[in-house]
Amino acid sequence: MKTYLRVVNPIVALLVLVLCLVAAAFDDGLFKPAGLLRGSISTYFLANGLFCSSALFILGRVLLHLIGEPKGPHADGTAR
């Protein structure tokens, strides 16, 4: 699980971002990045890619810290 969260999860988040950017930049098979600024469906794909990839990455980091081993002065679980 830790290997997935450390290696695979960021790669999947980057892949989601790249796919959404490609979908936003190409219209009718032609490279048209001007659609990103007009507020068309391209802007939706750009926003969707940014949100989904960042949410996936942040969730992976949070889960990695939650299942990680405890650190600090009382890592053995004793209360002092």
Side-chain angles (χ1 to χ4, degrees), residues 46-67:
L46 175 66
N48 188 27
L50 290 173
F51 176 75
C52 290
S53 64
S54 62
L56 183 64
F57 181 77
I58 291 170
L59 179 66
R61 290 295 164 188
V62 168
L63 288 175
L64 186 62
H65 287 289
L66 286 177
I67 66 170

Side-chain angles (χ1 to χ4, degrees), residues 6 16 18-19 28 33 36 45 50 55-56 59 61 69-70 78-79:
R6 285 187 185 144
V16 166
V18 168
L19 286 174
D28 296 330
L36 297 173
F45 279 113
L50 290 173
L56 183 64
L59 179 66
R61 290 295 164 188
E69 294 182 17
T78 60

Side-chain angles (χ1 to χ4, degrees), residues 15 17 26 28-29 33 36-38 79:
L15 184 64
L17 179 63
F26 283 88
D28 296 330
L36 297 173
L37 301 175
R38 285 186 304 205

Side-chain angles (χ1 to χ4, degrees), residues 9 12-14 17 22 29-30 40-43 51 58 60-61 65-66 72-74 78-80:
N9 190 36
V12 171
L14 185 64
L17 179 63
V22 168
L30 301 173
S40 62
I41 192 75
S42 298
T43 307
F51 176 75
I58 291 170
R61 290 295 164 188
H65 287 289
L66 286 177
H74 304 292
T78 60
R80 295 182 191 156

